[in-house]
Amino acid sequence: MPTTPDRPDGRPAGSGDPVEAAEATDDAARAPRPAPLRGDDAADDDFAIARETVSIGVRPAAPGPAAGGAPADSGRDGDRATVGIDPRNRPTVRVDARNHETVKLPGQRRPADSRVRRAPLPVAAAFATGWAALLSYVPVAAVIGLARTLEGQGGLGGAAHAGLAGWLLGHGVPIGTSIGPLGLAPLLLTLLAGWRLNRAGLHVTRAIGARRSGSPRAALLVAATIGIAYGTLGLLAALVVDGRGTDVTPALAAVHLFAAGLVFSLIGSLRSTEALVVVARRIPPPLRHGLRTGVVAALLILAAGAAFAGLSVAVGGGQAADMIGAYRTGVAGQAGITLVSLAYGANGVVWAAAYLLGPGFLLGTDSAVRLTELTVGPLPTLPLLAGLPNGPMGASGAALLAVPVLAAMAAGWLLTRRLMGVHHVVDGHLVDGRHPSRSGDSPPAEPAWHLVLASAALAGPVAGLVLGILSWLSGGPLGNGRMAEIGPVPWQVAFIATVVVTVSACIGAAAGRAFRAPVHHK
């Protein structure tokens, strides 16, 4: 490139790197020379060339005309030119294939489809499902292996068989034993399996290239494939467990695990494909906000139940320690029975939520554990049962009944805050109210009363449905005796939760709408 030889050694004035300067002057000597320019035109032309060379990482020489108004030639001829620039045309770059260290140009970005090879759906689903099943089975086998030391029945084979039966029980599959059917599923294990299936749905969606595709069809296809694979594993597990002191119906196990695989993996595939956003946009706004508020209300009630259950067990910690010490086993056996109690801790959370709502739960036939009544018979020696109340709560029970009411009111208040903070309508357009509007924009309109109240009213049935399903999953029999009925009555919990959440959420939403911060108009 033409530069001014204003240094004694002939190097260009704008280059501090000797190699770079030599390459530039050598290329200038080889390039065809344009007609001489005069005065400012020469400076402008040199500056334009230097500006274009910045983008490829080569430092340009200092622009400026030489004395006399014409660019001067400088430098010496080299053996090999690396960068060539034609001043008569748009600057071009010539990269020498034998010298890659001087200038590196990034390769052209190729389309995503040609860069990433998609895995076949059956292969990806089989691998992800098998990994999810393994990760949810190994902890069960370890815990049950520790618990079996209570009876002195060690051995890897026995622990693996018992762990497989416990893994099926965690999916709601009844296990037939000598004392009757065992159908009380540990919900903590169910949550572990659901989490792994959720991750499986997400990974399979990525593997087949459907991530962020927004396709509900792809999400359903992934979930159905994982459900079939998981149901097949359940069928094989039931065939292994059946006939060795335990009775399992293989067809029932296949159905249960297919449903679990379909539901939990669908959550992950919907998140990965972002099809949930597409589906949500097709739902009417009151129903969409009602679904969200109902789930929030159910989660708040469950959180209150978890706090109450944890506090009750902590208060009865001495009794729980006595229960563990009564087994007269070593550390391994006591650790096993403690972990088994923790596996049913999620069941205790649902039972505590039902207790706060009013219906309570059952601990055997002809029993009742609720705020106003406590009727139980002989119970198993489990540390989890140390948190049972000693009797009816009396006057303090009325205060506990207010906990679900406050939780539902908080859900309704959050609904209004969301509607006022995000979903504003300005001139017929939906805008985000969390960010300040531009100067001159009209203030956002507040959510209509019918939207607020309709969404809050729909939250009640949603919360009742969620809590009713959880109550059904948390219960089950422990044999044919008096422990054949354990857990809340699902329809009672669903009905009471629907009424409580509907009324309380409407009150909270209306209060948030009425006692809002004033909107200042400019």
Side-chain angles (χ1 to χ4, degrees):
M1 178 170 56
T3 54
T4 303
D6 54 347
R7 294 186 180 182
D9 55 358
R11 289 186 290 123
S15 176
D17 189 350
V19 177
E20 188 177 310
E23 291 172 350
T25 54
D26 177 62
D27 186 66
R30 293 175 179 270
R33 306 218 189 281
L37 301 177
R38 297 176 179 271
D40 295 338
D41 294 339
D44 294 340
D45 188 75
D46 285 346
F47 180 76
I49 296 173
R51 181 182 57 193
E52 293 294 334
T53 59
V54 172
S55 61
I56 62 172
V58 179
R59 289 197 298 268
D73 297 333
S74 62
R76 60 185 179 274
D77 292 343
D79 296 334
R80 189 172 56 201
T82 302
V83 178
I85 298 177
D86 186 1
R88 296 173 300 174
N89 247 334
R90 298 290 297 175
T92 57
V93 178
R94 184 172 68 252
V95 179
D96 189 355
R98 294 171 294 176
N99 188 0
H100 293 287
E101 297 179 357
T102 304
V103 178
K104 284 188 177 182
L105 298 179
Q108 185 178 4
R109 187 180 297 273
R110 293 174 295 178
D113 293 340
S114 61
R115 190 174 63 237
V116 180
R117 297 183 60 183
R118 297 181 180 181
L121 177 58
V123 176
F127 179 81
T129 306
W131 183 247
L134 181 63
L135 291 182
S136 60
Y137 163 73
V138 171
V140 181
V143 169
I144 294 183
L146 290 175
R148 282 171 60 86
T149 60
L150 292 173
E151 303 176 359
Q153 298 178 357
L156 183 60
H161 178 268
L164 199 58
W167 182 72
L168 291 174
L169 179 62
H171 293 81
V173 181
I175 307 296
T177 62
S178 58
I179 62 174
L182 299 180
L184 185 61
L187 287 188
L188 191 61
L189 173 58
T190 306
L191 293 176
L192 173 62
W195 171 57
R196 293 314 311 171
L197 288 170
N198 174 37
R199 300 297 300 174
L202 190 145
H203 293 318
V204 172
T205 303
R206 291 177 178 176
I208 66 173
R211 184 184 181 188
R212 295 181 179 176
S213 62
S215 173
R217 179 179 176 274
L220 287 173
L221 183 61
V222 169
T225 307
I226 294 178
I228 293 173
Y230 207 60
T232 304
L233 292 178
L235 177 64
L236 297 177
L239 292 175
V240 173
V241 173
D242 190 25
R244 296 179 56 185
T246 53
D247 297 329
V248 181
T249 305
L252 185 61
V255 171
H256 276 243
L257 270 75
F258 169 77
L262 177 66
V263 172
F264 289 116
S265 64
L266 182 60
I267 299 174
S269 61
L270 286 174
R271 290 173 51 208
S272 182
T273 59
E274 297 184 356
L276 190 60
V277 179
V278 178
V279 175
R281 289 174 179 173
R282 301 175 183 175
I283 300 176
L287 180 58
R288 182 172 66 248
H289 298 305
L291 289 172
R292 180 194 297 270
T293 307
V295 173
V296 170
L299 292 177
L300 290 177
I301 294 174
L302 288 174
F308 181 76
L311 182 61
S312 300
V313 174
V315 171
Q319 185 180 357
D322 295 339
M323 290 181 178
I324 295 176
Y327 285 98
R328 305 293 182 184
T329 59
V331 176
Q334 293 181 357
I337 197 63
T338 302
L339 291 176
V340 170
S341 299
L342 290 177
Y344 284 98
N347 301 61
V349 170
V350 180
W351 297 352
Y355 183 81
L356 294 176
L357 283 169
F361 55 94
L362 306 177
L363 284 177
T365 57
D366 300 328
S367 65
V369 180
R370 56 177 65 100
L371 290 172
T372 58
E373 180 183 0
L374 178 63
T375 304
V376 293
L379 298 174
T381 308
L382 292 176
L384 181 63
L385 300 179
L388 288 176
N390 296 324
M393 298 299 293
S396 59
L400 292 177
L401 285 175
V403 174
V405 174
L406 295 176
M409 291 178 64
W413 179 80
L414 291 174
L415 165 67
T416 305
R417 295 295 300 172
R418 177 174 177 79
L419 290 175
M420 296 183 65
V422 179
H423 297 280
H424 289 319
V425 178
V426 177
D427 296 332
H429 299 284
L430 196 65
V431 299
D432 188 354
R434 292 173 296 185
H435 305 287
S437 58
R438 297 172 298 178
S439 59
D441 289 348
S442 59
E446 296 171 348
W449 276 103
H450 71 273
L451 177 61
V452 173
L453 295 179
S455 301
L458 290 174
V462 174
L465 181 64
V466 172
L467 293 174
I469 292 176
L470 291 177
S471 299
W472 172 64
L473 293 175
S474 67
L478 282 179
N480 287 326
R482 59 175 307 275
M483 302 299 293
E485 296 181 5
I486 295 179
V489 180
W491 72 265
Q492 294 180 0
V493 175
F495 176 74
I496 298 298
T498 300
V499 174
V500 170
V501 173
T502 300
V503 176
S504 303
C506 287
I507 294 175
R513 174 65 173 81
F515 302 102
R516 66 195 182 282
V519 177
H520 300 285
H521 297 267
K522 294 183 180 181

